[in-house]
Amino acid sequence: MAETGAQSTYVMPTFLVRLRDPGIKNVLVCGCGGGFDFVHSMNLYPELKLMGKNVIIGSYSFGNPENIGNAEMYHVDPSDLRTQVKKVTANSKYDRNYGPEVLLCAFLDKMYPADEPHFVYAYYARAFTIKMLVRLYQKIIHDHSIDAIVTIDGGSDSLMRGDEAGLGDPVEDATSVATVASLAAGLKQAFLITIGVGCDRFNSVSDAATMRAIGEITHDGGFLGAYLIEPGSVGARFYADCLEHMNANHRFRSVLAGAIRAATEGYTGSQGPLPEYLQDRVRPGQLYLWPIMSIMWAFDACVVAKRSYTISWIKDADSVHEALECFNKARARLSHQNMVRAVEELP
């Protein structure tokens, strides 16, 4: 094989090669489906900084921005006042039960003091339709000259088509994926990244269905590489330190984040001893850990969106209530037609 001067690596995952593009200067990294999804991006954050990228973070979490004080109101969609978006910093006030946005800012200020004050856009995942989230991201893209979007899902329910037996939290994930895909034409790159595959079995998502989805998306040209996070790597240490900082400063413990960290550190199975940071949330036998949870998988958001039935069902909804109603009616039709798949099992 002839070597070319432009080819610097043959083994780096495609999504990282594309993100290295010097034309990409500003990257929006956002949660895909609520919870700690945006926090999982800390596995990738040091690499983006090493590339020289300016990273803007959006939470799209299950925390209520109304509970965050001393934060600038950045945006409210006129169609639904619950869509308030706050620009949170380390000086913002948070509920001691749950404050990942504020605590992430404080952690980043500590780790990258030259770039402080860091900020996170905090907004509630269950308040947005696709149309509303598009308007928000268009504003962020304009205000920060965004070149690429990476939406990160903890688990794999974002990959479900909509006809599987179990779907996790399908509407929030589909809303996010559809939004990123709809904006892709005006960006250099638009990715969906999943991490923690296997965790969503506790939300009734089949691991076999996830593997089938990855295969189908690969066949459609949408798989953009993956890598297994190494224990002791910069990303793994950064993520673990971030979680430790959060655990020390609010009461909430993310099982999914703990599972990703535990899998990275080599914990496997369901019967062995659990690491201390998981013991408050799960008992032995409740959580099955395996190395696949520490793999970061990347996909073309447009390919994932095109494959999704759920997106086609909810894309025209003008309210969250309407989106849920459309989703439930479509699922009922599938069930009536015997088109919902049986629970898929690994051989």
Side-chain angles (χ1 to χ4, degrees):
M1 178 181 295
E3 295 185 3
T4 64
Q7 184 71 46
S8 61
T9 177
Y10 290 118
V11 296
M12 180 179 285
T14 298
F15 79 100
L16 287 177
V17 172
R18 293 184 182 179
L19 281 172
R20 289 173 67 186
D21 177 358
I24 295 177
K25 302 183 185 303
N26 302 305
V27 180
L28 172 60
V29 175
C30 47
C32 182
F36 262 42
D37 282 2
F38 75 102
V39 177
H40 307 320
S41 70
M42 293 301 103
N43 285 287
L44 184 62
Y45 191 89
E47 188 70 17
L48 293 175
K49 296 296 288 185
L50 186 64
M51 293 178 184
K53 310 303 179 185
N54 177 43
V55 182
I56 305 300
I57 301 174
S59 70
Y60 194 67
S61 78
F62 290 148
N64 187 347
E66 292 183 359
N67 296 330
I68 302 175
N70 193 30
E72 172 191 339
M73 185 68 73
Y74 175 73
H75 172 84
V76 179
D77 196 282
S79 63
D80 191 332
L81 297 182
R82 297 180 306 152
T83 58
Q84 62 178 258
V85 182
K86 290 186 176 180
K87 188 175 182 179
V88 172
T89 70
N91 292 324
S92 299
K93 308 302 181 184
Y94 65 97
D95 183 334
R96 293 292 169 172
N97 289 312
Y98 188 84
E101 290 94 347
V102 178
L103 294 173
L104 180 57
C105 292
F107 176 73
L108 292 176
D109 283 355
K110 176 184 175 182
M111 301 304 292
Y112 292 95
D115 296 332
E116 66 173 299
H118 291 83
F119 66 88
V120 171
Y121 289 122
Y123 44 109
Y124 180 48
R126 289 179 174 148
F128 287 82
T129 64
I130 294 170
K131 295 177 183 179
M132 296 173 195
L133 196 60
V134 166
R135 288 191 285 267
L136 169 60
Y137 285 2
Q138 284 174 330
K139 177 176 173 59
I140 295 175
I141 288 168
H142 175 268
D143 290 350
H144 296 283
S145 301
I146 296 298
D147 302 302
I149 298 182
V150 179
T151 185
I152 297 192
D153 181 31
S156 57
D157 44 356
S158 60
L159 303 179
M160 297 299 101
R161 185 192 293 267
D163 61 348
E164 295 84 0
L167 297 175
D169 295 310
V171 173
E172 294 84 3
D173 288 65
T175 297
S176 194
V177 172
T179 296
V180 172
S182 72
L183 296 169
L187 300 167
K188 292 184 181 296
Q189 299 294 337
F191 302 133
L192 165 68
I193 289 179
T194 65
I195 185 171
V197 167
C199 295
D200 272 331
R201 65 172 59 183
F202 306 103
N203 288 326
S204 302
V205 175
S206 159
D207 292 343
T210 298
M211 293 297 105
R212 176 179 55 78
I214 291 173
E216 291 174 358
I217 294 168
T218 300
H219 183 269
D220 292 341
F223 175 55
L224 300 177
Y227 70 87
L228 181 68
I229 299 169
E230 297 179 36
S233 65
V234 171
R237 293 198 307 270
F238 195 81
Y239 182 59
D241 289 347
C242 179
L243 294 177
E244 287 292 333
H245 172 77
M246 291 184 174
N247 290 348
N249 289 282
H250 72 176
R251 297 183 183 91
F252 181 78
R253 300 290 183 273
S254 168
V255 173
L256 204 154
I260 293 169
R261 179 182 173 187
T264 301
E265 294 172 354
Y267 288 90
T268 58
S270 60
Q271 301 302 321
L274 291 168
E276 179 275 332
Y277 49 81
L278 276 171
Q279 291 174 8
D280 290 343
R281 289 296 307 275
V282 295
R283 298 186 302 273
Q286 279 189 313
L287 180 65
Y288 183 83
L289 299 168
W290 60 340
I292 203 169
M293 289 175 175
S294 57
I295 296 177
M296 188 171 283
W297 310 75
F299 305 94
D300 182 326
C302 294
V303 175
V304 177
K306 185 177 179 180
R307 176 180 173 273
S308 170
Y309 294 152
T310 302
I311 290 174
S312 68
W313 298 335
I314 68 172
K315 63 183 176 64
D316 296 321
D318 291 315
S319 69
V320 173
H321 175 77
E322 183 183 356
L324 292 171
E325 192 173 61
C326 290
F327 171 79
N328 289 329
K329 286 181 178 178
R331 280 285 290 185
R333 285 196 301 270
L334 282 188
S335 180
H336 180 71
Q337 297 166 356
N338 293 319
M339 293 178 65
V340 174
R341 295 172 181 267
V343 175
E344 298 168 76
E345 302 285 357
L346 293 172

